[in-house]
Amino acid sequence: AAAARERPDRRFRIEHAQVVRREDLPRFAKTRVVASIQPSHCIDDMRWAPRRIGAARCRLAYNFRSFLDAGAPVAFGTDWYVEPLDPRIGLYAAVTRETLAGGPSGGFFPEERISLEDAIDLYTRGSAYAEFADAVKGTLEPGRLADLVVFAADLFTVEPRRILDTPVDMTFVGGRVVFDGRDLLGDTLRARGAQVE
């Protein structure tokens, strides 16, 4: 009776799949277990991880690239409120694997860095898949929720460090503007007596 009630597409996931043996990566892909990873942990934990888990295990830590190469489903998240909610920090961490202050040069085990395109995909499409919401969000397609952010600069063309401080111009939820930073700037300028077109 219990089997009849179960969903045929059960999307199990391992939360904080952050120190995983190489031989287990294909198992994630084969069983379609979602590796839920928080990139900001990588750039925070690198300060103490070598002392606590050792250098050999650090090579297996936060292995974003290896999960993708193995074909495993991956969902990125922030782990708020343990880590900051700001997704720019997670994008920066996945792309650089460097601390917010910069370094180590090239990143913490740089072979595990991923592209900005991959990082955005794992935060959006990957996370939507993990929560059975991939039919309504996670990609920009007709009929989807249209939850999106518009940055003041093209994150694909700025230096990776600039990802951290590139302002948000607008935020849409369900296709509706819920934040317009351009209006805030205009309000500030008008309050100071400036003419705003």
Side-chain angles (χ1 to χ4, degrees), residues 13-14 17 20-21 24-36 67 70-73:
R13 68 175 149 181
I14 295 180
V20 178
R21 297 178 310 166
D24 288 332
L25 297 176
R27 294 175 66 196
F28 277 82
K30 181 180 178 183
T31 60
R32 305 306 297 158
V33 170
V34 177
S36 180
F67 269 115

Side-chain angles (χ1 to χ4, degrees), residues 50-81:
R51 288 189 313 274
R52 293 198 187 165
I53 67 173
R57 284 195 181 118
C58 279
R59 288 200 154 289
L60 309 175
Y62 317 99
N63 41 8
F64 317 137
R65 168 67 19 219
S66 294
F67 269 115
L68 290 181
D69 290 347
V74 177
F76 273 177
T78 62
D79 199 30
W80 185 82
Y81 59 95

Side-chain angles (χ1 to χ4, degrees), residues 170-173 175-180 182-183:
M170 301 177 81
T171 303
F172 294 79
V173 176
R176 192 172 59 83
V177 176
V178 295
F179 171 78
D180 191 338
R182 301 166 312 159
D183 282 349

Side-chain angles (χ1 to χ4, degrees), residues 14-20 35-38 41 62 78-79 82:
I14 295 180
E15 200 65 38
H16 304 298
Q18 295 175 173
V19 182
V20 178
S36 180
I37 309 171
Q38 297 71 34
H41 282 303
Y62 317 99
T78 62
D79 199 30
V82 173

Side-chain angles (χ1 to χ4, degrees), residues 97-153:
R97 296 175 67 93
E98 295 185 12
T99 66
L100 297 179
S105 179
F108 184 67
F109 299 102
E111 65 274 11
E112 292 296 340
R113 292 179 305 197
I114 60 173
S115 70
L116 180 60
E117 182 177 359
D118 283 338
I120 291 171
D121 183 64
L122 299 180
Y123 268 112
T124 56
R125 189 189 55 78
S127 292
Y129 172 82
E131 64 170 297
F132 288 93
D134 48 317
V136 296
K137 66 180 184 177
T139 58
L140 295 176
E141 299 178 57
R144 302 291 173 105
L145 289 177
D147 297 343
L148 61 106
V149 172
V150 178
F151 287 96

